[in-house]
Amino acid sequence: MREELIATLQENKVALYRVALSYVHTEAEALDIVQTTAEKALRQVNQVQESRYLKTWLFRILINTAIDAQRKQARRNEIGDESLEFMPALTTIAPEMRLALNEAVADLSDKEQAIIRLHFFENQTFADIALTLELSENTVKTTYYRSLKKLEVALNGGM
């Protein structure tokens, strides 16, 4: 199982980095989160019973590690243009809108942030997100669409 985990880490290293970067917004912190995730996963690989769940299990560890790091941060850093190259969906948005979007996403709950980030930035399906976060697929869908409405309200000035 350890070899399969190492292969899964290699296959998903860019996606793991992008998700971590979407939480902490600095390259060094994102790399630390990915490294910590890999260390935790390697120590706990025996907990995974089926190899088909390795990817979702790995993303769950990453998200929990990123949330912990985010909570430890003294203040939130603004998202910089250098980090946007890893989030192609944001490169066409005006800088003011990116900042507003980043702040609006940061105001969502941890679960809402995870769902938005995995679906929007990583194009993961609702089924994959449900496995990763250990939620039902319907809960993921409901939370996703509710979160989109919250973002819309926040970005339109509460109107």
Side-chain angles (χ1 to χ4, degrees):
M1 187 68 78
R2 189 175 177 87
E3 293 79 24
E4 292 173 9
L5 174 61
I6 292 170
T8 303
L9 280 164
Q10 285 295 327
E11 291 168 11
N12 294 285
K13 64 185 176 187
V14 173
L16 290 165
Y17 174 75
R18 278 194 310 246
V19 171
L21 186 62
S22 74
Y23 276 92
V24 292
H25 312 305
T26 65
E27 183 178 340
E29 289 173 312
L31 290 171
D32 285 345
I33 289 170
V34 172
Q35 180 178 354
T36 302
T37 299
E39 289 171 5
K40 287 178 181 179
L42 287 167
R43 276 195 312 264
Q44 301 169 1
V45 71
N46 296 334
Q47 292 179 2
V48 180
Q49 295 178 2
E50 292 186 47
S51 61
R52 65 182 173 149
Y53 295 121
L54 274 174
K55 182 178 175 182
T56 57
W57 177 73
L58 194 57
F59 273 95
R60 186 177 331 121
I61 292 172
L62 177 89
I63 289 168
N64 290 333
T65 304
I67 289 170
D68 289 344
Q70 190 179 43
R71 286 180 180 149
K72 289 177 185 174
Q73 236 176 1
R75 62 179 178 81
R76 294 192 193 275
N77 296 323
E78 292 182 5
I79 192 165
D81 288 336
E82 67 279 356
S83 64
L84 292 176
E85 67 190 61
F86 298 103
M87 294 182 224
L90 294 182
T91 56
T92 59
I93 299 174
E96 318 77 52
M97 188 56 132
R98 284 194 305 257
L99 181 58
L101 179 59
N102 188 50
E103 290 172 355
V105 170
D107 288 338
L108 296 174
S109 73
D110 292 341
K111 178 173 78 172
E112 292 168 332
Q113 284 186 43
I115 291 169
I116 290 292
R117 293 171 199 269
L118 289 173
H119 188 70
F120 186 69
F121 296 124
E122 294 305 317
N123 294 321
Q124 288 195 13
T125 65
F126 291 128
D128 287 343
I129 295 169
L131 282 173
T132 300
L133 300 179
E134 296 181 328
L135 300 168
S136 74
E137 190 172 342
N138 286 335
T139 299
V140 169
K141 288 178 185 178
T142 301
T143 304
Y144 175 77
Y145 290 113
R146 187 175 1 138
S147 300
L148 287 180
K149 288 185 190 276
K150 286 181 181 180
L151 290 174
E152 182 179 15
V153 167
L155 293 173
N156 288 330
M159 295 183 178

